Short mmCIF file of all heavy atoms in Angstrom, two decimals:
data_model
loop_
_atom_site.label_atom_id
_atom_site.label_comp_id
_atom_site.label_asym_id
_atom_site.label_seq_id
_atom_site.Cartn_x
_atom_site.Cartn_y
_atom_site.Cartn_z
N PHE A 26 66.69 71.85 110.56
CA PHE A 26 66.50 71.90 109.13
C PHE A 26 67.63 71.12 108.47
O PHE A 26 68.60 70.70 109.12
CB PHE A 26 66.40 73.34 108.62
CG PHE A 26 67.51 74.26 109.09
CD1 PHE A 26 68.74 74.21 108.50
CD2 PHE A 26 67.26 75.16 110.16
CE1 PHE A 26 69.75 75.07 108.97
CE2 PHE A 26 68.28 75.98 110.62
CZ PHE A 26 69.51 75.93 110.03
N VAL A 28 70.47 70.95 105.30
CA VAL A 28 71.23 71.57 104.22
C VAL A 28 72.10 70.48 103.60
O VAL A 28 72.99 69.93 104.27
CB VAL A 28 72.10 72.75 104.72
CG1 VAL A 28 72.93 73.33 103.54
CG2 VAL A 28 71.25 73.83 105.36
N TYR A 33 70.70 69.96 110.80
CA TYR A 33 71.21 70.93 111.77
C TYR A 33 70.18 71.20 112.85
O TYR A 33 68.99 71.35 112.54
CB TYR A 33 71.52 72.28 111.06
CG TYR A 33 72.69 72.13 110.11
CD1 TYR A 33 72.52 71.76 108.76
CD2 TYR A 33 74.02 72.29 110.57
CE1 TYR A 33 73.58 71.60 107.91
CE2 TYR A 33 75.05 72.11 109.68
CZ TYR A 33 74.88 71.76 108.37
OH TYR A 33 75.94 71.60 107.53
N ALA A 35 69.31 74.03 115.19
CA ALA A 35 69.65 75.43 115.43
C ALA A 35 68.90 75.99 116.63
O ALA A 35 68.91 77.18 116.86
CB ALA A 35 69.31 76.26 114.18
N PHE A 38 70.86 78.24 118.61
CA PHE A 38 71.62 79.17 117.76
C PHE A 38 70.77 80.35 117.32
O PHE A 38 71.27 81.32 116.74
CB PHE A 38 72.16 78.38 116.58
CG PHE A 38 72.89 79.16 115.50
CD1 PHE A 38 74.09 79.83 115.80
CD2 PHE A 38 72.46 79.21 114.19
CE1 PHE A 38 74.77 80.52 114.84
CE2 PHE A 38 73.16 79.95 113.21
CZ PHE A 38 74.30 80.59 113.53
N HIS A 42 72.25 83.78 115.57
CA HIS A 42 72.28 83.77 114.11
C HIS A 42 72.35 85.19 113.58
O HIS A 42 71.46 86.01 113.79
CB HIS A 42 71.05 83.06 113.55
CG HIS A 42 71.03 83.04 112.06
ND1 HIS A 42 69.90 83.40 111.32
CD2 HIS A 42 72.00 82.76 111.15
CE1 HIS A 42 70.21 83.27 110.03
NE2 HIS A 42 71.44 82.88 109.90
N PRO A 43 73.44 85.55 112.81
CA PRO A 43 73.58 86.93 112.35
C PRO A 43 72.40 87.40 111.45
O PRO A 43 72.09 88.57 111.36
CB PRO A 43 74.90 86.94 111.53
CG PRO A 43 75.65 85.73 112.04
CD PRO A 43 74.61 84.73 112.43
N GLY A 44 71.73 86.38 110.80
CA GLY A 44 70.59 86.76 109.96
C GLY A 44 69.29 86.83 110.69
O GLY A 44 68.23 87.03 110.08
N GLY A 45 69.34 86.60 112.00
CA GLY A 45 68.11 86.73 112.83
C GLY A 45 67.42 85.38 113.09
O GLY A 45 67.67 84.39 112.41
N VAL A 48 64.06 84.14 110.43
CA VAL A 48 64.28 83.41 109.17
C VAL A 48 64.59 81.91 109.42
O VAL A 48 64.20 81.04 108.62
CB VAL A 48 65.46 84.04 108.34
CG1 VAL A 48 65.04 85.35 107.76
CG2 VAL A 48 66.72 84.18 109.20
N LEU A 49 65.16 81.60 110.54
CA LEU A 49 65.43 80.20 110.84
C LEU A 49 64.12 79.50 111.20
O LEU A 49 63.87 78.34 110.83
CB LEU A 49 66.46 80.06 111.96
CG LEU A 49 67.89 80.57 111.65
CD1 LEU A 49 68.82 80.21 112.76
CD2 LEU A 49 68.43 79.95 110.30
N GLN A 51 61.27 80.20 110.10
CA GLN A 51 60.50 80.01 108.85
C GLN A 51 60.83 78.70 108.12
O GLN A 51 60.01 78.13 107.42
CB GLN A 51 60.71 81.21 107.90
CG GLN A 51 59.90 82.40 108.25
CD GLN A 51 60.39 83.68 107.51
OE1 GLN A 51 61.27 83.63 106.66
NE2 GLN A 51 59.80 84.80 107.84
N VAL A 52 62.12 78.29 108.26
CA VAL A 52 62.53 77.05 107.56
C VAL A 52 62.55 75.83 108.45
O VAL A 52 62.98 74.76 108.01
CB VAL A 52 63.90 77.23 106.83
CG1 VAL A 52 63.83 78.31 105.79
CG2 VAL A 52 65.00 77.49 107.86
N ALA A 57 66.44 73.19 103.68
CA ALA A 57 66.73 74.66 103.44
C ALA A 57 67.98 74.84 102.52
O ALA A 57 68.56 75.89 102.49
CB ALA A 57 66.97 75.35 104.78
N ILE A 60 67.77 77.78 99.84
CA ILE A 60 67.70 79.13 100.47
C ILE A 60 69.03 79.41 101.22
O ILE A 60 69.50 80.55 101.24
CB ILE A 60 66.46 79.23 101.39
CG1 ILE A 60 66.17 80.69 101.70
CG2 ILE A 60 66.57 78.46 102.66
CD1 ILE A 60 64.82 80.96 102.23
N PHE A 61 69.64 78.38 101.82
CA PHE A 61 70.91 78.59 102.54
C PHE A 61 71.99 79.03 101.55
O PHE A 61 72.65 80.09 101.83
CB PHE A 61 71.35 77.30 103.20
CG PHE A 61 72.68 77.43 103.90
CD1 PHE A 61 72.72 77.94 105.24
CD2 PHE A 61 73.89 77.20 103.26
CE1 PHE A 61 73.96 78.14 105.86
CE2 PHE A 61 75.09 77.40 103.88
CZ PHE A 61 75.15 77.86 105.19
N LEU A 64 72.24 82.58 100.35
CA LEU A 64 72.55 83.60 101.34
C LEU A 64 73.91 83.47 102.01
O LEU A 64 74.37 84.41 102.66
CB LEU A 64 71.49 83.66 102.42
CG LEU A 64 70.04 83.96 101.99
CD1 LEU A 64 69.05 83.47 102.98
CD2 LEU A 64 69.92 85.44 101.78
N HIS A 65 74.49 82.30 101.95
CA HIS A 65 75.74 82.07 102.72
C HIS A 65 76.81 81.45 101.84
O HIS A 65 76.52 80.71 100.92
CB HIS A 65 75.54 81.07 103.86
CG HIS A 65 74.39 81.40 104.75
ND1 HIS A 65 73.08 81.14 104.36
CD2 HIS A 65 74.32 81.87 106.02
CE1 HIS A 65 72.29 81.48 105.33
NE2 HIS A 65 72.98 81.95 106.36
N ARG A 66 78.05 81.65 102.27
CA ARG A 66 79.16 80.86 101.66
C ARG A 66 79.23 79.49 102.35
O ARG A 66 78.88 79.40 103.54
CB ARG A 66 80.49 81.60 101.88
CG ARG A 66 80.58 83.00 101.28
CD ARG A 66 81.88 83.65 101.64
NE ARG A 66 82.98 83.02 100.94
CZ ARG A 66 83.39 83.27 99.71
NH1 ARG A 66 82.73 84.22 98.99
NH2 ARG A 66 84.40 82.70 99.13
N VAL A 69 80.68 78.87 105.88
CA VAL A 69 79.92 79.13 107.09
C VAL A 69 79.58 77.82 107.78
O VAL A 69 79.64 77.65 109.00
CB VAL A 69 78.61 79.91 106.77
CG1 VAL A 69 77.62 79.91 107.95
CG2 VAL A 69 78.92 81.31 106.38
N LEU A 70 79.27 76.76 106.97
CA LEU A 70 78.92 75.46 107.54
C LEU A 70 80.12 74.79 108.17
O LEU A 70 79.99 74.08 109.18
CB LEU A 70 78.35 74.57 106.50
CG LEU A 70 76.94 74.97 105.97
CD1 LEU A 70 76.45 73.97 104.90
CD2 LEU A 70 75.93 75.08 107.07
N LYS A 72 82.53 76.45 109.67
CA LYS A 72 82.75 77.17 110.90
C LYS A 72 81.77 76.77 112.01
O LYS A 72 82.14 76.66 113.18
CB LYS A 72 82.63 78.66 110.59
CG LYS A 72 83.13 79.56 111.70
CD LYS A 72 83.25 80.98 111.28
CE LYS A 72 83.30 81.89 112.45
NZ LYS A 72 82.90 83.27 112.18
N TYR A 73 80.53 76.53 111.62
CA TYR A 73 79.51 76.20 112.63
C TYR A 73 79.14 74.69 112.57
O TYR A 73 78.00 74.29 112.75
CB TYR A 73 78.23 77.03 112.35
CG TYR A 73 78.40 78.48 112.65
CD1 TYR A 73 78.84 79.35 111.65
CD2 TYR A 73 78.14 79.00 113.93
CE1 TYR A 73 79.01 80.72 111.92
CE2 TYR A 73 78.33 80.35 114.17
CZ TYR A 73 78.73 81.19 113.16
OH TYR A 73 78.92 82.55 113.41
N LEU A 76 76.76 72.56 114.90
CA LEU A 76 75.34 72.56 114.88
C LEU A 76 74.78 71.32 114.14
O LEU A 76 73.59 70.97 114.25
CB LEU A 76 74.78 73.80 114.16
CG LEU A 76 75.12 75.17 114.79
CD1 LEU A 76 74.56 76.28 113.89
CD2 LEU A 76 74.51 75.28 116.16
N ARG A 468 75.91 92.48 97.09
CA ARG A 468 76.94 91.66 97.74
C ARG A 468 78.33 92.03 97.25
O ARG A 468 79.29 91.78 97.95
CB ARG A 468 76.63 90.22 97.52
CG ARG A 468 75.47 89.78 98.38
CD ARG A 468 75.08 88.35 98.16
NE ARG A 468 74.08 87.94 99.09
CZ ARG A 468 72.78 88.26 98.95
NH1 ARG A 468 72.37 88.93 97.93
NH2 ARG A 468 71.90 87.93 99.89
N THR A 473 81.58 91.66 104.14
CA THR A 473 81.49 90.33 104.71
C THR A 473 80.51 89.50 103.92
O THR A 473 79.70 90.07 103.19
CB THR A 473 81.06 90.35 106.18
OG1 THR A 473 79.79 91.02 106.24
CG2 THR A 473 82.03 91.06 107.11
N GLY A 474 80.56 88.19 104.09
CA GLY A 474 79.57 87.33 103.47
C GLY A 474 79.92 86.94 102.07
O GLY A 474 81.08 86.91 101.65
N MET A 475 78.88 86.58 101.28
CA MET A 475 79.03 85.95 99.98
C MET A 475 80.01 86.65 99.06
O MET A 475 80.87 86.05 98.44
CB MET A 475 77.68 85.96 99.21
CG MET A 475 76.53 85.37 99.95
SD MET A 475 76.72 83.65 100.24
CE MET A 475 76.61 82.93 98.62
C1 HEM B 1 73.63 75.98 110.04
C2 HEM B 1 72.91 76.96 109.52
C3 HEM B 1 73.27 78.40 109.46
C4 HEM B 1 74.33 79.04 109.90
C5 HEM B 1 75.60 78.49 110.60
C6 HEM B 1 74.15 80.42 109.54
C7 HEM B 1 75.07 81.41 109.81
C8 HEM B 1 74.97 82.72 109.29
C9 HEM B 1 76.01 83.70 109.29
C10 HEM B 1 77.40 83.46 109.84
C11 HEM B 1 75.53 84.78 108.69
C12 HEM B 1 76.29 86.09 108.46
C13 HEM B 1 76.39 86.17 106.97
C14 HEM B 1 77.63 86.23 106.37
O1 HEM B 1 78.24 87.28 106.64
O2 HEM B 1 77.96 85.31 105.67
C15 HEM B 1 74.17 84.54 108.31
C16 HEM B 1 73.35 85.40 107.68
C17 HEM B 1 72.07 85.14 107.28
N1 HEM B 1 71.40 83.96 107.37
FE1 HEM B 1 72.14 82.25 108.19
N2 HEM B 1 72.93 80.59 108.92
C18 HEM B 1 72.38 79.35 108.87
C19 HEM B 1 71.22 79.01 108.25
C20 HEM B 1 70.32 79.92 107.70
C21 HEM B 1 69.10 79.55 107.04
C22 HEM B 1 68.57 78.11 106.86
C23 HEM B 1 68.51 80.69 106.65
C24 HEM B 1 67.22 80.69 105.91
C25 HEM B 1 66.55 81.67 105.50
C26 HEM B 1 69.39 81.78 106.99
C27 HEM B 1 69.20 83.14 106.72
C28 HEM B 1 70.14 84.10 106.85
C29 HEM B 1 69.97 85.44 106.41
C30 HEM B 1 68.73 86.07 105.72
C31 HEM B 1 71.22 86.12 106.64
C32 HEM B 1 71.54 87.56 106.33
C33 HEM B 1 72.21 87.46 104.92
C34 HEM B 1 72.73 88.75 104.37
O3 HEM B 1 72.97 89.73 105.12
O4 HEM B 1 72.93 88.81 103.17
N3 HEM B 1 70.47 81.27 107.62
N4 HEM B 1 73.84 83.27 108.65
#
Side-chain angles (χ1 to χ4, degrees):
F26 49 79
V28 177
Y33 293 91
F38 176 61
H42 179 228
V48 289
L49 294 187
Q51 280 165 6
V52 297
I60 196 164
F61 178 86
L64 299 159
H65 310 75
R66 299 176 71 83
V69 167
L70 291 180
K72 191 169 162 202
Y73 291 90
L76 298 176
R468 286 177 174 80
T473 56
M475 306 295 291

